[in-house]
Amino acid sequence: MAPPPRQGGSVIGLFASTERGRAQAKELAAFLGPDAVVPDGPVAPALRRMWPVLGSAVLFEGSETAIRLVAPLLRDERSDPGVVCVDGAFAIALLGGADALAQRVADVLGRTAVTTAPPTASPLDELLELLDATAEGDAVACGEAMRAGEPVALANPLGFPLPALPDNVLPAGHEAAWTVLLDDRVPRTELGDHVVRVIPRTLVIGIGASAGVTSTDVSGALAKLAADGRLDLRAVRAFATLDRKTEEPGIVDAVEDWGFWHGSTTTPLLGYPGEELAVIPVPNPVELAIGIPSVAEAAALRGAAELSAGGRVEIAAEKVKGARATVAAARVLPRGRLALIGLGPGGADDRTPRAEAELRRASVVVGPPECVDQVRHLLRPGTSVRADGAVRLAEQGVAVALVAPDAGPVVAGPVHADVVRVTGVTGQL
Protein backbone atom coordinates (compact mmCIF):
# COMPACT_ATOMS: atom_id res chain seq x y z
CA MET A 1 0.00 0.00 0.00
CA ALA A 2 1.37 3.40 -0.94
CA PRO A 3 1.66 6.07 1.74
CA PRO A 4 -0.94 8.85 1.65
CA PRO A 5 -0.18 11.88 -0.48
CA ARG A 6 1.78 14.47 1.45
CA GLN A 7 0.17 17.83 2.10
CA GLY A 8 3.34 19.71 3.15
CA GLY A 9 5.70 21.88 1.10
CA SER A 10 8.48 20.95 -1.31
CA VAL A 11 11.36 22.24 0.82
CA ILE A 12 13.93 19.65 1.88
CA GLY A 13 15.56 20.73 5.14
CA LEU A 14 19.03 19.37 5.92
CA PHE A 15 19.92 19.69 9.60
CA ALA A 16 23.23 19.01 11.35
CA SER A 17 24.74 20.00 14.69
CA THR A 18 28.40 19.22 13.87
CA GLU A 19 30.82 20.66 11.33
CA ARG A 20 31.20 17.26 9.70
CA GLY A 21 27.45 16.86 9.49
CA ARG A 22 27.03 20.32 7.98
CA ALA A 23 29.67 19.54 5.37
CA GLN A 24 27.78 16.38 4.40
CA ALA A 25 24.51 18.32 4.37
CA LYS A 26 25.95 20.87 1.95
CA GLU A 27 27.30 18.06 -0.24
CA LEU A 28 23.86 16.47 -0.31
CA ALA A 29 22.15 19.81 -1.00
CA ALA A 30 24.21 20.23 -4.16
CA PHE A 31 22.73 16.99 -5.51
CA LEU A 32 19.15 17.58 -4.32
CA GLY A 33 18.82 20.92 -6.07
CA PRO A 34 17.28 24.30 -5.19
CA ASP A 35 14.62 22.86 -2.88
CA ALA A 36 17.32 21.74 -0.42
CA VAL A 37 18.10 24.15 2.43
CA VAL A 38 20.83 23.93 5.09
CA PRO A 39 19.70 26.34 7.84
CA ASP A 40 22.12 28.10 10.15
CA GLY A 41 22.12 27.83 13.92
CA PRO A 42 21.11 25.12 16.39
CA VAL A 43 19.12 22.22 14.99
CA ALA A 44 16.10 22.17 17.34
CA PRO A 45 14.85 25.76 16.82
CA ALA A 46 15.64 25.64 13.10
CA LEU A 47 13.65 22.42 12.74
CA ARG A 48 10.69 23.87 14.66
CA ARG A 49 10.76 27.05 12.58
CA MET A 50 10.86 25.26 9.23
CA TRP A 51 8.59 22.31 10.06
CA PRO A 52 5.35 23.81 8.65
CA VAL A 53 6.91 24.33 5.18
CA LEU A 54 8.98 21.17 4.94
CA GLY A 55 8.21 18.44 2.46
CA SER A 56 11.11 16.36 3.81
CA ALA A 57 13.79 16.61 6.48
CA VAL A 58 17.20 14.96 6.63
CA LEU A 59 18.87 14.94 10.04
CA PHE A 60 22.59 14.24 10.35
CA GLU A 61 22.17 12.97 13.89
CA GLY A 62 22.02 9.70 15.74
CA SER A 63 18.66 7.99 15.39
CA GLU A 64 17.74 8.48 19.05
CA THR A 65 18.52 12.19 18.86
CA ALA A 66 16.59 12.51 15.61
CA ILE A 67 13.53 10.87 17.13
CA ARG A 68 13.63 13.19 20.13
CA LEU A 69 13.88 16.21 17.85
CA VAL A 70 10.93 15.38 15.61
CA ALA A 71 8.58 13.68 18.08
CA PRO A 72 7.14 16.91 19.59
CA LEU A 73 6.47 18.26 16.09
CA LEU A 74 4.46 15.35 14.68
CA ARG A 75 0.81 16.12 14.04
CA ASP A 76 -0.72 14.32 11.04
CA GLU A 77 0.71 11.69 8.72
CA ARG A 78 -0.83 13.47 5.74
CA SER A 79 0.94 16.76 6.50
CA ASP A 80 4.07 15.87 8.47
CA PRO A 81 7.21 15.83 6.33
CA GLY A 82 9.06 12.65 5.58
CA VAL A 83 12.09 12.29 7.84
CA VAL A 84 15.43 10.63 7.07
CA CYS A 85 18.18 10.20 9.64
CA VAL A 86 21.83 9.83 8.56
CA ASP A 87 23.34 7.78 11.38
CA GLY A 88 26.81 6.36 10.82
CA ALA A 89 26.82 4.11 7.76
CA PHE A 90 23.04 4.23 7.33
CA ALA A 91 20.39 6.53 5.85
CA ILE A 92 17.26 5.59 7.78
CA ALA A 93 13.72 6.43 6.69
CA LEU A 94 12.20 7.25 10.06
CA LEU A 95 8.68 8.20 9.04
CA GLY A 96 6.39 9.77 6.49
CA GLY A 97 6.94 7.46 3.52
CA ALA A 98 10.55 8.66 3.15
CA ASP A 99 11.92 5.42 1.68
CA ALA A 100 12.72 6.97 -1.71
CA LEU A 101 14.53 9.91 -0.12
CA ALA A 102 16.50 7.58 2.16
CA GLN A 103 17.63 5.61 -0.88
CA ARG A 104 18.65 8.80 -2.69
CA VAL A 105 20.59 10.08 0.34
CA ALA A 106 22.31 6.72 0.64
CA ASP A 107 23.31 6.77 -3.03
CA VAL A 108 24.77 10.29 -2.81
CA LEU A 109 26.65 9.83 0.46
CA GLY A 110 27.68 6.20 0.05
CA ARG A 111 25.50 4.90 2.89
CA THR A 112 23.17 1.92 3.20
CA ALA A 113 19.48 2.79 3.00
CA VAL A 114 17.22 1.45 5.74
CA THR A 115 13.61 1.69 4.63
CA THR A 116 10.47 1.25 6.69
CA ALA A 117 6.91 0.20 6.02
CA PRO A 118 4.38 3.04 5.78
CA PRO A 119 2.21 3.73 8.84
CA THR A 120 -1.02 1.81 9.09
CA ALA A 121 -3.27 4.44 10.65
CA SER A 122 -5.95 5.84 8.36
CA PRO A 123 -8.53 8.62 8.70
CA LEU A 124 -11.09 5.86 9.29
CA ASP A 125 -9.03 4.49 12.19
CA GLU A 126 -8.87 7.99 13.67
CA LEU A 127 -12.62 8.44 13.25
CA LEU A 128 -13.34 5.18 15.05
CA GLU A 129 -11.08 6.20 17.93
CA LEU A 130 -12.51 9.69 18.10
CA LEU A 131 -16.11 8.47 18.30
CA ASP A 132 -15.31 5.44 20.48
CA ALA A 133 -17.18 3.50 17.82
CA THR A 134 -17.30 -0.04 16.46
CA ALA A 135 -16.82 -0.88 12.79
CA GLU A 136 -18.59 -3.54 10.77
CA GLY A 137 -17.23 -4.41 7.35
CA ASP A 138 -13.76 -4.39 5.85
CA ALA A 139 -12.50 -1.33 7.71
CA VAL A 140 -8.89 -2.11 6.81
CA ALA A 141 -9.51 -2.08 3.06
CA CYS A 142 -11.72 0.99 3.32
CA GLY A 143 -9.08 2.77 5.40
CA GLU A 144 -6.43 1.89 2.83
CA ALA A 145 -8.62 3.32 0.07
CA MET A 146 -9.13 6.47 2.11
CA ARG A 147 -5.39 6.83 2.71
CA ALA A 148 -4.61 6.23 -0.95
CA GLY A 149 -6.88 9.09 -2.03
CA GLU A 150 -9.67 7.00 -3.54
CA PRO A 151 -13.17 8.53 -3.31
CA VAL A 152 -15.03 7.42 -0.17
CA ALA A 153 -18.60 8.54 0.55
CA LEU A 154 -19.52 9.30 4.17
CA ALA A 155 -23.15 9.13 5.34
CA ASN A 156 -23.72 10.86 8.69
CA PRO A 157 -27.53 10.86 9.14
CA LEU A 158 -27.43 11.67 12.86
CA GLY A 159 -25.17 14.67 12.26
CA PHE A 160 -22.08 13.96 14.34
CA PRO A 161 -19.63 16.90 14.47
CA LEU A 162 -16.57 15.54 12.70
CA PRO A 163 -13.03 16.85 12.30
CA ALA A 164 -11.69 17.94 8.95
CA LEU A 165 -11.46 14.93 6.66
CA PRO A 166 -9.37 14.39 3.51
CA ASP A 167 -10.66 15.86 0.26
CA ASN A 168 -11.40 12.39 -1.09
CA VAL A 169 -14.01 11.80 1.65
CA LEU A 170 -17.23 12.97 0.01
CA PRO A 171 -20.79 13.52 1.28
CA ALA A 172 -23.25 10.67 0.86
CA GLY A 173 -24.74 10.47 -2.61
CA HIS A 174 -21.48 10.95 -4.49
CA GLU A 175 -20.21 8.09 -6.58
CA ALA A 176 -17.43 6.34 -4.67
CA ALA A 177 -15.69 3.01 -4.43
CA TRP A 178 -16.45 2.81 -0.70
CA THR A 179 -19.16 4.11 1.62
CA VAL A 180 -18.88 4.74 5.36
CA LEU A 181 -22.23 4.76 7.20
CA LEU A 182 -22.14 6.43 10.62
CA ASP A 183 -25.32 5.35 12.43
CA ASP A 184 -26.60 3.40 15.44
CA ARG A 185 -29.40 1.80 13.42
CA VAL A 186 -29.35 -1.39 11.40
CA PRO A 187 -29.99 -0.69 7.69
CA ARG A 188 -33.28 -1.90 6.26
CA THR A 189 -31.55 -3.64 3.37
CA GLU A 190 -28.39 -5.68 3.14
CA LEU A 191 -25.32 -3.61 2.38
CA GLY A 192 -22.68 -4.41 -0.20
CA ASP A 193 -19.11 -5.49 0.40
CA HIS A 194 -17.76 -1.96 -0.03
CA VAL A 195 -19.72 -0.45 2.86
CA VAL A 196 -18.32 0.00 6.36
CA ARG A 197 -20.75 0.70 9.17
CA VAL A 198 -19.43 2.86 12.00
CA ILE A 199 -21.56 2.33 15.10
CA PRO A 200 -21.25 5.10 17.72
CA ARG A 201 -22.28 4.55 21.34
CA THR A 202 -25.42 6.67 21.57
CA LEU A 203 -28.10 4.49 23.21
CA VAL A 204 -29.35 4.12 26.76
CA ILE A 205 -31.51 1.07 27.46
CA GLY A 206 -34.19 1.54 30.11
CA ILE A 207 -35.29 -1.58 31.98
CA GLY A 208 -38.45 -2.14 33.98
CA ALA A 209 -38.93 -5.48 35.67
CA SER A 210 -41.14 -7.29 38.13
CA ALA A 211 -39.83 -9.23 41.10
CA GLY A 212 -38.05 -12.45 40.23
CA VAL A 213 -37.16 -11.39 36.70
CA THR A 214 -34.46 -13.55 35.11
CA SER A 215 -31.61 -12.57 32.85
CA THR A 216 -33.33 -14.56 30.10
CA ASP A 217 -36.43 -12.38 30.50
CA VAL A 218 -34.39 -9.19 30.14
CA SER A 219 -32.17 -10.45 27.33
CA GLY A 220 -35.18 -11.71 25.38
CA ALA A 221 -36.94 -8.35 25.66
CA LEU A 222 -33.72 -6.59 24.65
CA ALA A 223 -33.36 -8.75 21.53
CA LYS A 224 -36.95 -7.98 20.53
CA LEU A 225 -36.37 -4.26 21.12
CA ALA A 226 -33.33 -4.33 18.84
CA ALA A 227 -35.21 -6.19 16.11
CA ASP A 228 -38.36 -4.05 16.26
CA GLY A 229 -36.47 -0.77 16.51
CA ARG A 230 -33.67 -1.69 14.06
CA LEU A 231 -31.12 -0.82 16.74
CA ASP A 232 -27.58 -2.10 16.80
CA LEU A 233 -26.88 -3.17 20.37
CA ARG A 234 -23.20 -2.36 19.91
CA ALA A 235 -24.36 1.26 20.19
CA VAL A 236 -25.44 0.85 23.83
CA ARG A 237 -23.70 3.34 26.10
CA ALA A 238 -25.52 2.62 29.36
CA PHE A 239 -28.45 0.82 30.97
CA ALA A 240 -30.87 2.49 33.38
CA THR A 241 -33.61 1.42 35.79
CA LEU A 242 -35.19 2.21 39.14
CA ASP A 243 -32.58 2.74 41.83
CA ARG A 244 -33.96 -0.12 43.90
CA LYS A 245 -33.61 -2.47 40.92
CA THR A 246 -29.90 -1.91 40.26
CA GLU A 247 -29.03 -5.01 42.29
CA GLU A 248 -31.82 -7.20 40.92
CA PRO A 249 -29.94 -10.38 39.92
CA GLY A 250 -31.79 -10.88 36.65
CA ILE A 251 -31.06 -7.32 35.49
CA VAL A 252 -27.44 -7.38 36.66
CA ASP A 253 -26.81 -10.73 34.96
CA ALA A 254 -28.41 -9.55 31.71
CA VAL A 255 -26.22 -6.43 31.64
CA GLU A 256 -23.14 -8.57 32.33
CA ASP A 257 -24.16 -10.98 29.55
CA TRP A 258 -24.50 -8.06 27.14
CA GLY A 259 -21.04 -6.83 28.18
CA PHE A 260 -19.53 -10.27 27.65
CA TRP A 261 -20.87 -10.60 24.12
CA HIS A 262 -19.98 -7.03 23.18
CA GLY A 263 -16.55 -6.86 24.79
CA SER A 264 -17.47 -4.25 27.40
CA THR A 265 -16.93 -4.44 31.14
CA THR A 266 -17.48 -0.75 31.91
CA THR A 267 -20.99 -0.03 30.60
CA PRO A 268 -22.86 1.35 33.61
CA LEU A 269 -26.22 0.37 35.05
CA LEU A 270 -27.71 3.68 36.21
CA GLY A 271 -30.40 3.90 38.88
CA TYR A 272 -32.90 6.71 39.53
CA PRO A 273 -35.49 7.32 42.25
CA GLY A 274 -39.10 6.65 41.37
CA GLU A 275 -40.12 10.26 42.01
CA GLU A 276 -37.68 11.42 39.32
CA LEU A 277 -38.95 8.94 36.76
CA ALA A 278 -42.60 9.64 37.55
CA VAL A 279 -42.45 13.21 36.17
CA ILE A 280 -40.70 12.40 32.88
CA PRO A 281 -43.07 12.56 29.89
CA VAL A 282 -43.09 9.25 28.01
CA PRO A 283 -44.75 8.21 24.74
CA ASN A 284 -46.60 5.21 26.21
CA PRO A 285 -47.79 5.99 29.75
CA VAL A 286 -49.78 3.45 31.71
CA GLU A 287 -51.21 3.38 35.22
CA LEU A 288 -48.79 1.39 37.36
CA ALA A 289 -49.14 0.58 41.03
CA ILE A 290 -45.74 2.17 41.70
CA GLY A 291 -46.95 5.48 40.22
CA ILE A 292 -44.51 5.65 37.28
CA PRO A 293 -46.13 5.82 33.81
CA SER A 294 -43.31 3.79 32.20
CA VAL A 295 -40.16 2.77 34.06
CA ALA A 296 -38.37 1.59 30.91
CA GLU A 297 -39.00 4.70 28.79
CA ALA A 298 -38.53 7.14 31.67
CA ALA A 299 -35.30 5.49 32.82
CA ALA A 300 -33.94 5.46 29.27
CA LEU A 301 -34.70 9.17 28.82
CA ARG A 302 -33.33 10.07 32.27
CA GLY A 303 -30.09 8.18 31.65
CA ALA A 304 -29.67 9.73 28.20
CA ALA A 305 -30.25 13.20 29.66
CA GLU A 306 -27.53 12.61 32.24
CA LEU A 307 -25.03 11.44 29.65
CA SER A 308 -25.88 14.25 27.23
CA ALA A 309 -24.85 16.95 29.75
CA GLY A 310 -27.73 19.18 28.73
CA GLY A 311 -27.98 18.10 25.11
CA ARG A 312 -30.97 16.76 23.24
CA VAL A 313 -32.28 13.23 23.70
CA GLU A 314 -35.07 11.25 22.11
CA ILE A 315 -36.78 7.90 22.31
CA ALA A 316 -34.95 5.67 19.84
CA ALA A 317 -37.28 2.68 20.29
CA GLU A 318 -40.52 2.59 22.27
CA LYS A 319 -40.92 0.04 24.99
CA VAL A 320 -41.18 -3.67 24.32
CA LYS A 321 -42.85 -5.85 26.94
CA GLY A 322 -41.79 -9.35 27.83
CA ALA A 323 -43.13 -11.73 30.44
CA ARG A 324 -41.48 -10.00 33.41
CA ALA A 325 -39.32 -7.32 31.77
CA THR A 326 -39.98 -4.20 29.73
CA VAL A 327 -37.23 -2.38 27.85
CA ALA A 328 -36.97 0.83 25.81
CA ALA A 329 -34.15 2.80 24.21
CA ALA A 330 -33.30 6.50 24.24
CA ARG A 331 -30.71 8.18 22.06
CA VAL A 332 -28.21 10.87 23.02
CA LEU A 333 -28.37 13.10 19.96
CA PRO A 334 -25.08 14.55 18.74
CA ARG A 335 -24.67 18.30 18.74
CA GLY A 336 -22.00 20.78 17.81
CA ARG A 337 -18.78 21.12 19.73
CA LEU A 338 -17.05 24.31 20.81
CA ALA A 339 -13.53 24.05 22.21
CA LEU A 340 -12.35 27.24 23.93
CA ILE A 341 -8.57 27.03 23.68
CA GLY A 342 -6.01 29.20 25.40
CA LEU A 343 -2.67 29.33 23.60
CA GLY A 344 -0.66 30.75 26.48
CA PRO A 345 1.85 33.56 25.84
CA GLY A 346 2.37 32.28 22.31
CA GLY A 347 5.30 29.86 22.30
CA ALA A 348 4.96 26.21 21.35
CA ASP A 349 6.26 25.21 24.78
CA ASP A 350 3.35 27.08 26.40
CA ARG A 351 0.72 25.13 24.48
CA THR A 352 -0.76 22.11 26.22
CA PRO A 353 -1.10 18.69 24.55
CA ARG A 354 -4.85 18.84 25.13
CA ALA A 355 -5.02 22.14 23.24
CA GLU A 356 -3.28 20.54 20.29
CA ALA A 357 -5.62 17.54 20.41
CA GLU A 358 -8.68 19.82 20.38
CA LEU A 359 -7.30 21.74 17.41
CA ARG A 360 -7.08 18.46 15.49
CA ARG A 361 -10.59 17.55 16.66
CA ALA A 362 -12.09 20.61 14.95
CA SER A 363 -13.20 21.11 11.37
CA VAL A 364 -13.24 24.91 11.79
CA VAL A 365 -10.77 27.05 13.76
CA VAL A 366 -11.83 30.57 14.69
CA GLY A 367 -9.68 33.33 16.11
CA PRO A 368 -7.60 36.42 15.40
CA PRO A 369 -5.02 35.97 12.62
CA GLU A 370 -2.02 36.17 14.95
CA CYS A 371 -3.40 33.29 17.05
CA VAL A 372 -4.41 31.15 14.10
CA ASP A 373 -0.97 31.59 12.55
CA GLN A 374 0.60 30.14 15.71
CA VAL A 375 -1.28 26.87 15.30
CA ARG A 376 -1.89 26.62 11.57
CA HIS A 377 0.73 23.91 11.18
CA LEU A 378 -1.12 21.77 13.75
CA LEU A 379 -4.41 21.69 11.84
CA ARG A 380 -5.60 18.77 9.79
CA PRO A 381 -5.58 19.29 6.03
CA GLY A 382 -8.94 20.72 5.02
CA THR A 383 -9.57 22.58 8.29
CA SER A 384 -11.39 25.87 7.67
CA VAL A 385 -10.13 29.06 9.30
CA ARG A 386 -12.41 31.98 10.15
CA ALA A 387 -12.17 35.22 12.07
CA ASP A 388 -15.52 34.98 13.87
CA GLY A 389 -18.79 33.05 14.14
CA ALA A 390 -17.59 30.28 16.45
CA VAL A 391 -20.74 30.02 18.58
CA ARG A 392 -23.07 30.14 15.59
CA LEU A 393 -21.17 27.37 13.82
CA ALA A 394 -21.06 25.17 16.92
CA GLU A 395 -24.80 25.60 17.43
CA GLN A 396 -25.28 24.50 13.82
CA GLY A 397 -23.59 21.19 14.63
CA VAL A 398 -19.99 21.91 13.61
CA ALA A 399 -16.85 20.94 15.53
CA VAL A 400 -15.24 24.33 16.24
CA ALA A 401 -12.09 25.45 18.04
CA LEU A 402 -12.01 29.07 19.21
CA VAL A 403 -8.47 30.20 20.00
CA ALA A 404 -7.16 33.17 21.97
CA PRO A 405 -3.92 34.06 23.76
CA ASP A 406 -3.06 33.36 27.39
CA ALA A 407 -5.86 31.63 29.35
CA GLY A 408 -8.17 31.57 26.35
CA PRO A 409 -11.42 33.02 25.01
CA VAL A 410 -14.51 33.85 27.03
CA VAL A 411 -17.99 33.36 25.58
CA ALA A 412 -20.92 35.23 27.05
CA GLY A 413 -24.30 33.60 27.51
CA PRO A 414 -25.42 30.00 27.06
CA VAL A 415 -24.10 27.98 24.14
CA HIS A 416 -26.32 25.25 22.71
CA ALA A 417 -23.43 22.92 21.95
CA ASP A 418 -20.94 20.77 23.82
CA VAL A 419 -18.43 23.22 25.27
CA VAL A 420 -14.90 22.14 26.15
CA ARG A 421 -12.54 24.58 27.86
CA VAL A 422 -8.77 24.16 27.54
CA THR A 423 -7.18 26.84 29.68
CA GLY A 424 -3.84 28.10 28.45
CA VAL A 425 -0.77 29.03 30.44
CA THR A 426 -0.87 32.72 31.35
CA GLY A 427 2.06 35.03 30.86
CA GLN A 428 2.10 35.95 34.54
CA LEU A 429 4.39 34.38 37.12
Side-chain angles (χ1 to χ4, degrees):
M1 178 184 65
R6 308 227 65 74
Q7 303 291 327
S10 60
V11 176
I12 305 173
L14 310 179
F15 303 88
S17 58
T18 66
E19 287 300 322
R20 182 182 179 187
R22 286 185 60 80
Q24 293 176 339
K26 291 177 180 178
E27 177 187 352
L28 179 61
F31 282 90
L32 295 180
D35 288 336
V37 177
V38 183
D40 295 326
V43 169
L47 185 62
R48 283 198 302 269
R49 184 177 66 252
M50 293 186 63
W51 190 262
V53 299
L54 289 177
S56 303
V58 180
L59 283 78
F60 291 80
E61 307 286 349
S63 56
E64 182 176 345
T65 300
I67 290 170
R68 291 181 183 276
L69 285 168
V70 303
L73 306 176
L74 299 178
R75 298 293 175 258
D76 188 295
E77 64 176 322
R78 295 178 65 88
S79 58
D80 288 333
V83 177
V84 172
C85 162
V86 179
D87 186 359
F90 302 98
I92 306 168
L94 287 181
L95 56 91
D99 289 355
L101 179 59
Q103 187 62 61
R104 191 174 181 190
V105 171
D107 292 342
V108 171
L109 299 179
R111 304 298 205 276
T112 299
V114 179
T115 57
T116 57
T120 58
S122 73
L124 181 56
D125 297 323
E126 295 178 348
L127 191 62
L128 290 168
E129 182 178 359
L130 185 69
L131 296 174
D132 188 22
T134 302
E136 178 181 279
D138 195 343
V140 173
C142 181
E144 290 177 353
M146 199 177 286
R147 277 172 45 87
E150 297 179 24
V152 176
L154 173 65
N156 183 15
L158 293 178
F160 282 87
L162 303 179
L165 295 169
D167 292 341
N168 59 303
V169 179
L170 309 171
H174 284 73
E175 185 174 348
W178 285 87
T179 296
V180 175
L181 173 60
L182 175 54
D183 202 352
D184 59 15
R185 294 164 290 196
V186 177
R188 294 184 182 277
T189 58
E190 187 173 345
L191 302 178
D193 293 337
H194 282 65
V195 176
V196 173
R197 292 182 57 224
V198 174
I199 303 134
R201 297 171 67 239
T202 57
L203 302 178
V204 177
I205 303 297
I207 304 173
S210 57
V213 67
T214 67
S215 62
T216 301
D217 294 330
V218 177
S219 297
L222 185 57
K224 189 174 190 310
L225 177 76
D228 291 354
R230 294 178 36 243
L231 299 179
D232 194 314
L233 293 183
R234 289 170 290 187
V236 173
R237 185 171 167 183
F239 295 85
T241 188
L242 270 171
D243 53 3
R244 64 174 182 264
K245 291 287 188 177
T246 55
E247 296 184 4
E248 181 78 35
I251 295 177
V252 172
D253 289 347
V255 171
E256 289 181 353
D257 287 347
W258 175 90
F260 174 81
W261 290 110
H262 293 88
S264 174
T265 59
T266 59
T267 302
L269 174 59
L270 308 173
Y272 300 101
E275 54 268 26
E276 279 191 35
L277 301 184
V279 298
I280 296 175
V282 294
N284 298 288
V286 294
E287 291 294 332
L288 297 178
I290 58 175
I292 303 173
S294 173
V295 171
E297 291 176 340
L301 287 168
R302 178 64 181 84
E306 177 179 334
L307 296 179
S308 74
R312 296 182 302 133
V313 303
E314 66 179 10
I315 286 289
E318 296 182 2
K319 65 183 179 182
V320 167
K321 297 186 67 174
R324 286 177 290 186
T326 301
V327 294
R331 176 181 291 115
V332 178
L333 290 167
R335 59 178 182 168
R337 180 182 179 89
L338 177 62
L340 305 175
I341 301 175
L343 300 181
D349 293 341
D350 300 320
R351 203 166 43 236
T352 65
R354 188 180 175 203
E356 297 186 1
E358 286 295 338
L359 287 165
R360 290 175 49 76
R361 173 71 175 80
S363 62
V364 178
V365 173
V366 179
E370 60 273 17
C371 289
V372 173
D373 287 344
Q374 292 175 25
V375 299
R376 194 180 296 272
H377 65 288
L378 302 175
L379 309 183
R380 291 177 183 271
T383 302
S384 298
V385 173
R386 303 193 183 186
D388 53 32
V391 172
R392 175 177 53 82
L393 288 168
E395 291 184 337
Q396 291 174 354
V398 178
V400 182
L402 176 60
V403 297
D406 296 321
V410 176
V411 176
V415 178
H416 301 293
D418 292 330
V419 178
V420 178
R421 181 173 294 279
V422 184
T423 304
V425 178
T426 65
Q428 301 175 350
L429 294 177

